[in-house]
Amino acid sequence: MMGVPKEGPSAGISITTGIVSALTGRPVRNDIAMTGEITIMGKVLAVGGILPKLQAAIEAGCAEVLMPKENERDVQMTPDYMRNKIKVGTFRRFKKCWRQRLSVGRTVDRA
């Protein structure tokens, strides 16, 4: 049986990041863009539309884009002038992404 096309799953890693940030009180860097579907077990899945997502991140002034490891081939196929303007980090698991790139390591007073 084929999967049903759906809108919005590429925001999964962003939504999860916001939830983890709110629950832990640890802020997220504000110079990162991210995309990726996420499973209930934390696996980051490939998404479509990588070229326009990279372009939007560059235009927004982001320093880095985080995306699924499965999308590395899409990044390699983007023009050099785009790849040279922004760092791209790829991940298979959300936990690694959070630890390595997103958390700035301090908590925010929620009072």
Side-chain angles (χ1 to χ4, degrees):
M1 191 164 171
M2 304 248 333
V4 177
K6 53 197 179 287
E7 296 291 328
S10 62
I13 192 172
S14 302
I15 293 168
T16 303
T17 298
I19 292 169
V20 172
S21 176
L23 292 174
T24 63
R26 295 173 77 176
V28 178
R29 288 177 41 199
N30 64 1
D31 63 343
I32 291 183
M34 59 190 86
T35 187
E37 187 172 347
I38 190 165
T39 69
I40 193 79
M41 299 302 291
K43 183 177 178 186
V44 179
L45 305 176
V47 295
I50 295 301
L51 184 66
K53 290 173 183 177
L54 284 174
Q55 185 65 42
I58 291 167
E59 290 174 7
C62 294
E64 185 173 8
V65 177
L66 304 178
M67 65 180 59
K69 183 84 169 166
E70 294 175 11
N71 284 111
E72 258 182 340
R73 182 174 164 93
D74 298 314
V75 174
Q76 292 169 355
M77 293 174 66
T78 60
D80 287 341
Y81 75 89
M82 286 180 68
R83 282 197 318 258
N84 295 335
K85 289 184 179 181
I86 195 162
K87 181 178 178 180
V88 177
T90 60
F91 297 90
R92 286 191 172 96
R93 309 284 308 173
F94 176 77
K95 190 174 187 179
K96 184 177 180 183
C97 177
W98 175 260
R99 287 184 177 160
Q100 288 187 356
R101 295 287 195 339
L102 297 176
S103 176
V104 295
R106 63 184 186 278
T107 58
V108 175
D109 183 16
R110 295 188 229 170

